[in-house]
Structures are given as structure tokens and as C-alpha cells.
Amino acid sequence: MSDYDQSLWLNTCREHVESAPLTSDLSVDLAVIGGGYTGCSAALTAARAGATVCVLEAQEIGHGGSGRNVGLVNAGLWVRPADICAHLGDADGTRLIEILAAAPSEVFSVIQTHGIECEPMRKGTLHCAHSGSGLADLKIRHAQLRQAGAPVELLSSDKTYQRTGSATFRGALFDPRAGTIQPMAYVRGLARAAAATGARVHTHSPVMTMRHVDGQWLLETPQATVRAKSVIQATNAYHRNLPDTAPAYVPVSYFQFTTAPLSDNLRASILPGTEGCWDTGLIMTSFRMDHDGRFILGAMGNLEHAGSAAHTGWIKRKLSELYPQLADQPLQQGWHGRIAMTSDHIPKITRIGPDAVSIHGYSGRGIGPGTVFGRMAAESLLAGDPALLPVPAVAEHTERWTRLRHAYFETGAALTHLIKAR
């Protein structure tokens, strides 16, 4: 049974977009498959440019990872800048680093421009060193990010304690460019803004088949067909149907639990600057506060997996370890989502046919990159210029041993949570 309905983000979302299943045939310039950050950003961009566009979402807007994630608006990817250049080459790598460095500014600008009620807090993020090796990694990241022009700061353990209120970390990397949002509200706000600008948004309209005929795309949904000049497939880790264009990735689950709103006294002692945080652990832990003072704690793991008991047992112990003053705080029902992880942790754009691309693989960094990749993909297709894409499109992307690697991550998370923080 899905825990989607238990999500804090779903139940506190103040944004709404009018939508309904597609019931009559439609002809558009751009069809977007998937109603997450990438798809909704692409639709908003195309509609603002005067193109006709429709979004076809199999469930509800934000039903996938866009509505289930931590809500950290980061300036970059999971990997270090040098690794990005090593995989893409210096020119393409440096360009992507620069594009994503500006991603938080773009996200917060879109929020302001369209009045999206998503609790935006641009107070930065803290990447916290959970061990000596974690601190060594942060020192390398700090040096590379500074060389790339990022205004990041490496904090001592004492300063990290002052910023987090937790004595468990060796140090932290502070990035003032970043921040936090209510992720479900942001994606639904993007969809609402796209619809207000002229885009057609259709939920519960899964694309069953897609084929290119006589210079145009035919997308069949259960009740109607869309004819489109161009297509963006933005299904990421929630792809369904369309086996010929299925993205290749390793599915990684991530869960979160939340407290009720904390008292003013407790709130004052925990993350007084309201930064969003995650640690350097291989089985990563994240923590943050929301606008109403709820403390949200998350980690890798699937709450519907056999290891869910280990995850739920760990979460309370971890809460007490980070903040002993929260030991008696009850945790509300948790929820989880799927991440599309690639081997190099760099998003992929694949050509799936004439004037059609598929975008996936944010590896847990979907908010900023998804917003930017969606916009730039729409601009590229409308202009007929592949050079406008944020990374070069490839004919095919493959991943090996995806099931085995998925099992490795889930088993590792379950074992870690069974043993750690006891």
C-alpha cells in the first residue's frame, strides 16, 4: 500500500492546479510527458514563448519524486565539480557547473514571479561531515567549488554546532546560494503558472503508446490522442508504459518522517538559521525545518520494503542522537519516493526520435536541475537548436546491473539502520 497520502508535503500544500483527464484529441507544438519539475518548467517556458503545449501526467501533478523529496534547492549536483568535467569534458562540464550554480536563483525567481506559495527560504544549506573521512571530502569539495567561483564556506565543528544545534558533526560546507522549499507546492505552483499562461495540464492521462508518423508525434492516452511537433519525456524514476523510451537508471528509495510543529523553545535550539542539511554518509541522512517548525528527518530506504522495520526503528534513535531534546517528540507517519540514480550522478538527455528528448537521472538533485533542464529543453526544441540544451543529448544511455545495484542500496540502508545509532 502506497504511503503517498501520508506525505507532509501533500497534506500541507497550499497550491492547486485545475486539471482533468484528456478526453478529446489535441494538436500542440510541444507535448510533455510527466508532471514533475522538468515537465512543468518546460510547459511554462513553452507557453510563455507563445507555443501550444500540453502536460500529460499519469497520476497527479507532483505524484512522483517532485512531490516527495526533501525540498533542498541546491546549486549543483551530487558529484564534485572536477568529476563533472572528467565525465563531460572541460567545456561541457564547466558550462553545466555554471548553469547549475545559477539554478537556485532561477527557482526563487520563478517562485516570486508567479507567486508560488511554497514556503521559500533562501538561507543556504549545510553539507555536514559525519566523520573524519566526511570532513576530508568536504575540504576537497570546498577547494573545487571555490575554484569554480562558488561563495561556499567551510565551517569548523564549533561553527557547525552553532548553526545546527547538534554536536555530532566534524564540520560543514555552507552554501549561501541554496535554500529550501515545500516541494509539492513548488511543482504544483509551476503547473498552475503554466496553465495560467496557456498550457493544457491533464492528469490521470498516461501515455500508452507514442510513435512518429508523417512528421509529427502521436501520443495515445486512454481516452484521446495528442498530435505534437515535439516531445519532452520527463518521467524520471516514475516511468510507465513506453518501453522503447524507458530511461536507464538505478532506482534508489528515500524516506522521511516529521514531528509535529515544535515549541518556540525547541525551535530556538535547532537549526536557528533554518538551513537545509544533509550529511556525508554513504547512506545519507537529511534534516531540516519547515515553515511551521516541524523537524523533518530522512534517509535512504523504502518504507514498503522488507527492511522497513529497520528504517522506522532507526529514525527515532537518529532523532535522539542528533537532538537529545527531541527524544520524546512523537514522529508522524513517514513517506518515501524514488530517485533515478545514474552511475556518474549526472543527468541525461537522450534523443528518442525526431524533435523528441527524454530527461532523467538527477540522482537526488531534482529541484534546481529539473527547473533548468525543463526550461532549456523547451527552448531547444522550439528553436530547433540542440546547442541550447544544458548537456549534449546522446542517442542512448545504458546502466548495467540496475536490479543488483538497487538491491545493494536498499540492503545497505536496511543493515545500516539496523545497526547504527543504537
Side-chain angles (χ1 to χ4, degrees), residues 32-34 37-39 41-42 231-239 245-249 340 342 346-352 356-362 366 369-378 380-381 389-391 393:
V32 178
I33 306 172
Y37 300 130
T38 304
S41 178
V231 174
I232 294 175
Q233 179 179 277
T235 52
N236 206 33
Y238 287 81
H239 188 82
T245 62
Y249 61 89
T342 60
I346 296 173
K348 307 301 174 190
I349 300 179
T350 57
R351 296 185 295 271
I352 56 176
V357 296
S358 177
I359 306 172
H360 80 283
Y362 297 115
T371 301
V372 172
F373 272 56
R375 171 181 61 80
M376 297 182 77
S380 171
L381 288 172
L389 292 170
V391 295

Side-chain angles (χ1 to χ4, degrees), residues 7 74 87 117 136-137 139 168 197 209 284 286 295 306 313 317 322 330 348 373 387 401 407:
S7 166
N74 289 298
H87 285 288
E117 295 187 65
D137 175 65
K139 289 179 178 179
T168 61
T197 312
T209 65
M284 189 189 82
S286 65
F295 184 76
R317 299 192 301 272
L322 286 173
K348 307 301 174 190
F373 272 56
W401 312 110

Side-chain angles (χ1 to χ4, degrees), residues 20-22 32-35 55-60 202-210 219-226 235 238-242:
L22 180 68
V32 178
I33 306 172
V55 176
L56 300 172
E57 164 57 43
Q59 299 288 338
E60 296 285 347
H202 294 284
T203 51
H204 299 284
S205 300
V207 178
M208 310 303 292
T209 65
M210 179 174 68
L219 286 71
E220 296 182 357
T221 71
Q223 299 184 67
T225 298
V226 174
T235 52
Y238 287 81
H239 188 82
R240 56 186 289 184
N241 306 323
L242 306 179

